[in-house]
Amino acid sequence: MGKYTLIITEKPDAASRIASALDAEGKAEKKVKNGVPYYVAKRNEDIVVVPALGHLYTVASKKRGIRGYPVFDFQWVPRYLAKRGAARIRTWLKVISKLAENADKFIDACDYDVEGSIIGYSILKYACGNKETAAQRMKYSTLTKEELEKSYTEPLSNLDFALIEAGLTRHEVDWLYGINLSRALTAAAKNYSGRYVTLSTGRVQGPTLKFLETRERRIKCFVPTPYWSIKAKVNISGAVLEAEYEKKVIETKAEAEAVIDSCNDQDGETKKVALKDFQQMPPLPFDLGSLQSEAYRLFRYTPMRTSSIAQRLYLDALISYPRTSSQKLPPAIGYQATLKKLGKNREYAKLTAELLAKPALTPTEGKKKDPAHPAIYPTGNLPSKILNRAEKNIWELVVRRFMAVFGEPAVLQSIKVAISINGNRFQLNGRQTLAEGWLRFYKPYVKSEDAVLPPMREGQTVSVKRVVLEDKFTQPSSRYNPSSLLRRMEKEEIGTKATRAGIIQTLNNRQYTREERIVVTDLGFEVVDVLKKYCPAVVSLELTRKLEERMNDIQQGKETREKVLQDTIEILKPVTEQLKEKERIIGARLSQALMKARLEERVIGACPVCKSGKLVILRSRKTGKRFIGCTNYFEGTCKTSFPLPQKGLAKPSGNVCKSCGWHTVRIWMKGKRPWNLCFNPKCPLKEERKEKH
Amino acid sequence: MPIKRGAEGKTLKCKACDREAAEKDFCLVHLKAYENILEKYDVWTKALQISWREYLSQIEQNPLTGEWAIEVASYLINSEETRNVKES
């Protein structure tokens, strides 16, 4: 093969799709060199498409092998020099460099966003020998043949260097904060306890943990207060309905009891029947955040999981690029063509036909824009292979949301009936759907809240069956879950759409948080306390806000990368000095919290025998075997123990056995589905099973 | 906030845990819980006409009460001194 055009993509799947789309016969040839795949496509010219594996270059300290802090000298290096387990990047880069030698034209076809731009730029600069200024840029939002061909034949003449400059700065600033503060925390804990544990923090991790910590403090200090509410069960035309007393919160028991006494043995009378029609507008198109929230609400998928499923669907050309913050669907995506293609699926045929029959297709759109990509939409392609359940769920959700945004508003009617029982005002609420509109398209995902009331008129006598007093307490703030935390991060504009889900996962991996309804551990509290005391900037939103402003200024040429980095170093210098000075105190606090976090992770629940101890997963020093034992064993007061399977991973499940009420242990074994194990030898369920067999 | 020191200059421990006391002989963590308990007592007495001791025991047993507030309530139940102060 003579000279050719070298196209660089972000991932191998994208390389395969692009090569096939550009090949005149649609069959690009796959080649593999030292384990690195690349594709050769033929049309009026030869094209070689080679993928990256995400970021192949990263920021690292200039002094290799030294793990101390502070570190302010850095450089961009191949990832295998900075990260463990990235050895194959060396071969990967060698293959790209070799392929670049015979190329006479370079095109960056990485994802069209900041990260994609940095990936393409660094490969062109370092692996291809300073080809970044000569390279062209392919811009596309779906991996469909039509769009890829168009973006290849009409590429942008050069890379977006202003965007790249801002992106590089962000990476470097984040590295400076992350490496210095994480090393300070890790070194403090290690020098005190002698045990190495990675403790990390950073510009995004810090404020995110702070949100959680603030909420957790409020929950832990919460004192509920009592209040009462009253409901009347009334019989109207044979139907028993529940009417609410006009005052939803009654603050004293005496007042509540007086109302009950006054209602006893009395009939009611309808005083007013008010009907009101209102519209419910169609939902907005999905951006990544709203897709992640909706997938969590419907399927309980974590934002991280939704993001990776959406990425797979994008690489299969089933949906558009998911890492977008846009809520806009421009006509250029081809509403009609997409709906026609979706209509080939029997399940959507009727619904798409209904939309296509409309005189005009106008989507409901939100305010958020993304200069690089539209909102997430289905490409219209139907799955060519069988999707797994999670992929199918997300794809169908994207398809149905796409159809719903073109639907008409739903028309609903609310009915409010005021009932007087001996002068006490109660209210009966009803609701019914008059016209389904967009709800038809989104039906599996919206619950009908209809509560149809029988026909009623003013002055009608109502028989009161019972008036009930309900004792209630004020509730503490609800805990964040991965979805609500992600929304908060979006609202505060910290992190990027690509990194937020990963940050939430990191907080969990570092044992700063646990459980799905996120609980902050003692270690999480200690980390926030240390940062608040010695580096308040890193847990404040102000730092991120200012940085975002300066990133924009860099893009517009009003600010320089050097100045931003210099300012960051000026902030960090005194902070690291102080952290070093107080290392022993910080180390002691973190080590104690770490020990507690480790124990917490193994605690199953209260000991059912002695009641005062806790059951913990332990390992015998003598035999090395894993078992469950009571913490009171060490006091010599309880010898309760239970065996555990020796293979696989065992962790407290947080649930109790439905049959005997004992806490259970979750077991993960290779090749098997995880299950909850009830270790109660006398569990009735076990007895039942024995009898069956 | 200054850390409390005893007569010999040693730091004083929080009444509800092992942390250093900051104010009113509670650490910063339990101080906020203590303040909440004091503040909410007025709402409880208005609602139910109950005594300080009954109140503490109610919130100690309530599953909605926060962990730190329970720790402070437990301490206060056994603290004659604090009980007298509140009742007087």
Side-chain angles (χ1 to χ4, degrees):
Chain A
M1 191 165 44
K3 293 285 178 188
Y4 47 76
T5 298
L6 184 69
I7 298 182
I8 293 153
T9 70
E10 198 167 315
K11 295 269 164 62
D13 284 357
S16 157
R17 286 229 161 243
I18 291 174
S20 302
L22 300 184
D23 187 82
E25 292 175 11
K27 287 178 187 168
E29 186 188 352
K30 181 181 178 181
K31 292 193 173 185
V32 179
K33 193 171 182 182
N34 297 336
V36 181
Y38 64 94
Y39 300 84
V40 178
K42 299 208 180 276
R43 47 202 289 146
N44 47 13
E45 58 183 331
D46 286 342
I47 302 168
V48 172
V49 187
V50 65
L53 281 173
H55 284 281
L56 299 186
Y57 291 86
T58 186
V59 190
S61 171
K62 272 190 181 168
K63 291 175 193 161
R64 283 184 61 199
I66 299 168
R67 294 202 54 84
Y69 71 97
V71 259
F72 298 127
D73 292 331
F74 59 84
Q75 59 187 348
W76 283 82
V77 296
R79 208 148 61 91
Y80 65 84
L81 290 178
K83 299 259 159 48
R84 267 188 216 146
R88 70 173 176 157
I89 302 291
R90 183 196 287 265
T91 328
W92 214 277
L93 284 171
K94 270 188 187 168
V95 172
I96 295 179
S97 296
K98 192 78 194 151
L99 290 170
E101 282 174 12
N102 287 327
D104 59 356
K105 193 175 154 191
F106 293 85
I107 300 180
D108 174 6
C110 295
D111 294 343
Y112 199 80
D113 58 13
V114 183
E115 297 309 314
S117 298
I118 293 174
I119 292 168
Y121 165 83
S122 52
I123 292 172
L124 287 161
K125 183 176 172 71
Y126 302 117
C128 301
N130 298 317
K131 290 293 186 295
E132 72 280 10
T133 46
Q136 294 177 325
R137 184 76 165 106
M138 272 171 71
K139 183 185 177 184
Y140 54 88
S141 291
T142 66
L143 287 170
T144 54
K145 187 175 168 59
E146 307 79 49
E147 195 169 345
L148 289 172
E149 279 202 308
K150 190 168 182 282
S151 70
Y152 174 76
T153 51
E154 299 164 22
L156 305 179
S157 56
N158 49 270
L159 310 185
D160 186 343
F161 288 105
L163 179 76
I164 292 166
E165 188 77 349
L168 292 172
T169 316
R170 190 199 300 268
H171 272 263
E172 289 158 359
V173 168
D174 285 351
W175 183 84
L176 283 168
Y177 274 105
I179 201 84
N180 282 296
L181 299 176
S182 300
R183 279 188 182 180
L185 296 179
T186 306
K190 183 179 176 284
N191 293 344
Y192 183 84
S193 67
R195 286 181 72 172
Y196 177 85
V197 178
T198 305
L199 294 174
S200 67
T201 189
R203 191 181 57 82
V204 181
Q205 254 190 63
T208 309
L209 185 58
K210 179 83 181 357
F211 297 152
L212 295 165
E213 182 252 9
T214 308
R215 174 81 50 105
E216 188 72 41
R217 271 186 197 280
R218 223 182 304 150
I219 294 170
K220 281 194 165 21
C221 291
F222 181 76
V223 177
T225 51
Y227 70 92
W228 292 265
S229 66
I230 299 172
K231 281 182 180 150
K233 298 210 168 177
V234 294
N235 191 333
I236 300 169
S237 313
V240 177
L241 304 162
E242 214 172 59
E244 245 183 304
Y245 182 57
E246 63 176 344
K247 206 169 162 188
K248 289 201 171 76
V249 174
I250 305 170
E251 281 155 6
T252 69
K253 195 171 186 184
E255 185 189 343
E257 282 174 344
V259 175
I260 295 277
D261 288 346
S262 146
C263 292
N264 272 345
D265 302 326
Q266 300 283 331
D267 274 343
E269 186 189 350
T270 54
K271 289 285 178 193
K272 194 178 174 191
V273 180
L275 301 177
K276 193 181 168 193
D277 291 357
F278 64 99
Q279 284 192 341
Q280 197 175 351
M281 294 305 286
L284 304 178
F286 279 134
D287 60 354
L288 181 61
S290 54
L291 174 65
Q292 286 169 321
S293 289
E294 192 73 335
Y296 182 80
R297 180 181 75 86
L298 296 166
F299 316 118
R300 284 285 178 267
Y301 296 163
T302 61
M304 189 80 172
R305 189 171 177 201
T306 302
S307 179
S308 75
I309 296 167
Q311 181 69 16
R312 284 206 298 276
L313 295 174
Y314 161 69
L315 291 172
D316 282 344
L318 291 173
I319 65 170
S320 63
Y321 188 65
R323 289 204 293 264
T324 172
S325 48
S326 169
Q327 294 174 324
K328 306 274 182 196
L329 287 174
I333 67 166
Y335 310 144
Q336 282 208 340
T338 306
L339 288 169
K340 270 182 196 160
K341 285 205 263 179
L342 287 173
K344 286 179 190 160
N345 182 323
R346 204 185 302 163
E347 209 178 318
Y348 307 130
K350 223 173 155 187
L351 296 171
T352 51
E354 198 179 304
L355 289 174
L356 288 165
K358 287 175 77 166
L361 286 168
T362 313
T364 304
E365 292 181 310
K367 284 180 189 162
K368 281 159 72 182
K369 287 179 193 166
D370 186 323
H373 299 281
I376 303 169
Y377 63 94
T379 59
N381 290 352
L382 301 181
S384 54
K385 60 174 190 191
I386 296 170
L387 300 179
N388 66 36
R389 190 192 291 181
E391 288 169 340
K392 195 163 179 265
N393 283 341
I394 298 293
W395 181 67
E396 286 185 351
L397 180 62
V398 171
V399 170
R400 286 193 173 268
R401 175 64 77 108
F402 179 72
M403 293 192 289
V405 300
F406 292 102
E408 297 296 323
V411 182
L412 302 133
Q413 186 178 61
S414 77
I415 306 129
K416 285 182 182 164
V417 183
I419 299 172
S420 170
I421 306 174
N422 197 20
N424 301 299
R425 284 174 67 88
F426 285 77
Q427 188 169 290
L428 203 55
N429 294 314
R431 194 174 120 147
Q432 60 180 321
T433 308
L434 301 179
E436 278 189 315
W438 65 271
L439 295 170
R440 264 171 55 67
F441 303 96
Y442 208 54
K443 215 160 204 179
Y445 312 124
V446 274
K447 263 191 200 161
S448 167
E449 287 170 23
D450 280 9
V452 182
L453 300 180
M456 270 179 272
R457 58 183 164 73
E458 284 170 19
Q460 185 178 341
T461 303
V462 171
S463 129
V464 179
K465 287 193 73 152
R466 207 148 50 102
V467 184
V468 188
L469 177 66
E470 290 180 344
D471 293 350
K472 289 183 176 170
F473 288 98
T474 50
Q475 300 280 323
S477 314
S478 57
R479 292 186 186 282
Y480 282 106
N481 59 42
S483 167
S484 57
L485 181 58
L486 191 108
R487 279 202 302 274
R488 174 81 195 269
M489 291 169 83
E490 267 182 359
K491 192 180 153 213
E492 305 290 356
E493 295 180 345
I494 59 165
T496 66
K497 48 196 178 284
T499 59
R500 287 179 190 125
I503 295 283
I504 297 171
Q505 191 61 48
T506 304
L507 293 177
N508 196 279
N509 295 346
R510 297 278 181 256
Q511 295 183 320
Y512 298 161
T513 62
R514 60 183 164 84
E515 296 178 30
E516 196 180 328
R517 309 286 304 174
I518 303 172
V519 177
V520 179
T521 62
D522 279 12
L523 182 60
F525 277 115
E526 290 299 343
V527 169
V528 175
D529 276 353
V530 167
L531 295 174
K532 273 200 290 195
K533 198 165 179 185
Y534 302 106
C535 187
V538 86
V539 285
S540 78
L541 291 170
E542 200 50 32
L543 176 75
T544 289
R545 291 223 175 95
K546 273 192 183 151
L547 187 70
E548 291 304 329
E549 279 170 23
R550 296 182 86 180
M551 295 294 112
N552 283 335
D553 288 347
I554 291 177
Q555 275 195 61
Q556 288 164 18
K558 293 183 203 161
E559 180 69 275
T560 66
R561 184 170 161 195
E562 290 70 28
K563 179 82 176 73
V564 174
L565 293 171
Q566 194 51 47
D567 289 352
T568 305
I569 292 169
E570 290 306 319
I571 295 173
L572 279 170
K573 265 184 184 163
V575 168
T576 50
E577 274 166 23
Q578 221 192 340
L579 285 170
K580 254 212 162 101
E581 203 179 296
K582 306 277 179 191
E583 194 174 273
R584 191 147 179 86
I585 305 167
I586 296 169
R589 288 176 65 177
L590 292 175
S591 300
Q592 276 167 15
L594 264 167
M595 269 171 60
K596 211 170 162 192
R598 275 193 212 112
L599 186 70
E600 259 176 28
E601 211 186 17
R602 292 185 288 133
V603 173
I604 297 165
C607 173
V609 179
C610 71
K611 314 279 184 202
S612 60
K614 283 179 179 173
L615 291 183
V616 187
I617 298 175
L618 297 165
R619 212 169 260 285
S620 160
R621 281 190 189 163
K622 218 176 185 180
T623 61
K625 285 192 171 177
R626 187 166 63 187
F627 68 102
I628 295 169
C630 178
T631 46
N632 276 347
Y633 175 84
F634 304 106
E635 318 291 327
T637 53
C638 183
K639 287 187 174 175
T640 307
S641 73
F642 304 96
L644 272 177
Q646 296 306 309
K647 286 183 184 169
L649 185 70
K651 278 186 174 181
S653 69
N655 296 325
V656 290
C657 171
K658 280 175 192 162
S659 180
C660 65
W662 282 33
H663 288 276
T664 57
V665 175
R666 192 146 180 90
I667 309 283
W668 285 265
M669 270 192 199
K670 209 176 175 184
K672 287 186 179 176
R673 279 185 133 185
W675 77 96
N676 286 350
L677 170 81
C678 175
F679 51 85
N680 176 7
K682 288 177 185 163
C683 176
L685 206 67
K686 280 186 191 164
E687 303 287 330
E688 243 176 65
R689 275 187 206 142
K690 264 185 204 166
E691 276 170 27
K692 268 187 195 172
H693 289 290
Chain B
M1 197 170 285
I3 298 297
K4 268 208 143 187
R5 291 182 189 278
E8 290 161 17
K10 282 183 185 170
T11 52
L12 290 178
K13 295 274 182 199
C14 166
K15 286 170 177 174
C17 69
D18 275 348
R19 293 187 190 93
E20 285 168 357
E23 221 179 79
K24 293 177 184 165
D25 295 343
F26 284 111
C27 64
L28 291 174
V29 155
H30 287 107
L31 180 65
K32 180 69 194 154
Y34 175 65
E35 286 168 355
N36 272 359
I37 289 176
L38 289 186
E39 188 194 316
K40 296 290 166 64
Y41 181 50
D42 291 339
V43 184
W44 275 76
T45 41
K46 199 179 149 205
L48 282 168
Q49 308 284 321
I50 58 170
S51 70
W52 174 240
R53 194 176 174 75
E54 279 170 332
Y55 162 61
L56 290 174
S57 132
Q58 288 259 0
I59 59 167
E60 192 201 24
Q61 283 161 29
N62 194 312
L64 297 169
T65 308
E67 196 183 317
W68 294 339
I70 290 178
E71 286 165 2
V72 174
S74 302
Y75 164 77
L76 293 174
I77 285 171
N78 300 314
S79 155
E80 193 64 34
E81 178 199 342
T82 319
R83 203 161 62 226
N84 290 341
V85 168
K86 186 70 200 176
E87 278 165 357
S88 66

